[in-house]
Amino acid sequence: MQYKKILTIQDISCVGQCSLTVALPILSAAGMETCILPSAVLSTHTAGFTGFTVRDLTDDIPGIAAHWKKEGIGFEAVYTGYLGSTQQIEYVKSIMETLLVPGGLKIVDPAMADNGKLYPAFDAEYVEAMKTLAFTADIILPNITEACFLTGVEYRESYDEKYINTLLDRLAESGAGTVVLTGVGYRDGKTGVVVAKGSDRSYYEHKKIAKGCHGTGDVYASAFVGALMNGMSAYDSAKLAADYTVRTIEVTQDDPTHWYGVKFEAVLPEFIRMLGK
Ligand code: PXL
C-alpha cells in the first residue's frame, strides 16, 4: 500500500494523554507518516488540572503552512482536534484548501465540549467558527454535546433514537458529510457510535464502562483516522476505534492515580493486530 502522509492539527498538552501526544503514536502505529501542526502548547490539558500554562501558536501557523507549500508538500488527509482560537480555524480551512492532495480528506473532530458543556477555553463565537470548519469537512466526529452545539438542538442526558435521528438530520441539513456520532447509548451498560451519511445510518453498540476517562475522544478519533487511512470503510473504522477505545479504558480503570487519561500505549499492539498488520 502507498505510504500515506497525513497532517494532524491539535494542541500539545505536555502531560495528560490527549491531543497530539495521543494522535501521533496512534497514527504512527497505524502506519501513517504523521506530520503535526501544534495549535498551542499547554503544560497539561484543561480538564481537571488547575494552573496550567498555555502558549498559543496561532501566529506561527501561516509561516509554517507557507513553507510547506513552497516545498511542494501535500497531505492525503488533514485531521484536526482541539484548536486554540477562531483565527486558527480560519488558518486550518486555508491549509485544507491548499495542502491536501487531490482527493485528500478533511477530517474534523470538533473537540470543544462534553457532558452538555463547552470546554473552559471556548465560547459561542468559537462554536460559530467551528460550524464553518465542520460543515466543509468530509468527515466529522462529534459527541452528542458537540453535535448539539453544532446544530442548536437542545442537549439531553436521556434520549431515544428519534432524538438522535433529529440531531443527524440537522447535521446533514447544515452540510455535514459523513458523521461519526460517538457516545450514543440506548440501554444500561451499553454505548455506541452511529455512522451517518445523509439518511443512510448504521449503529454499532458496544460495552459502556462505568468509568468515563479524559482523552478517550482523542484516542477514538485517532484510531478511526488510522483505520480509515488503511482503507477500511467508515463503519468498520468506527467499530475498530470503539473496540480499541474500550480496551484502553479497561486497562486504566483500576488505577485511581491515572485519572487524567487512558493507558492507550499498553494496548497499541492490540490496535495494530486489529488493523491486520
Ligand atoms: O481531549 C480534548 C482536549 C484536548 N486538548 C486540551 C484539552 C482537552 C479537553 O479538555 O483541555 C488542551
Side-chain angles (χ1 to χ4, degrees), residues 25 110-111 113 119 148-149 168 172 186 200 218 248 252:
Y119 293 147
C148 287
F149 279 107
L168 292 166
Y186 300 114
D200 184 18
D218 300 343
T248 67
T252 309

Side-chain angles (χ1 to χ4, degrees), residues 150-169:
L150 290 174
T151 55
V153 171
E154 192 192 346
Y155 175 77
R156 285 205 213 146
E157 284 286 339
S158 58
Y159 49 79
D160 54 13
E161 214 175 319
K162 185 162 164 270
Y163 172 82
I164 294 298
N165 276 325
T166 303
L167 213 43
L168 292 166
D169 289 343

Side-chain angles (χ1 to χ4, degrees), residues 5-6 9 19 31-32 64 79 91 97-98 123 130 140 151 153 184 189 195 209 217 236 241 243 247 274 277:
K5 192 199 302 288
I6 77 169
I9 311 176
S19 40
M32 299 299 127
I64 293 171
Y79 149 46
Y91 289 150
E97 290 315 315
T98 53
D123 57 14
M130 182 53 78
I140 55 173
T151 55
V153 171
V184 180
V195 179
I209 300 176
D236 287 343
D243 293 341
R247 287 292 297 130
M274 288 174 185
K277 289 185 174 282

Side-chain angles (χ1 to χ4, degrees), residues 43 101 124 133 176 241-242 249:
S43 51
V101 301
L133 178 63
I249 303 173

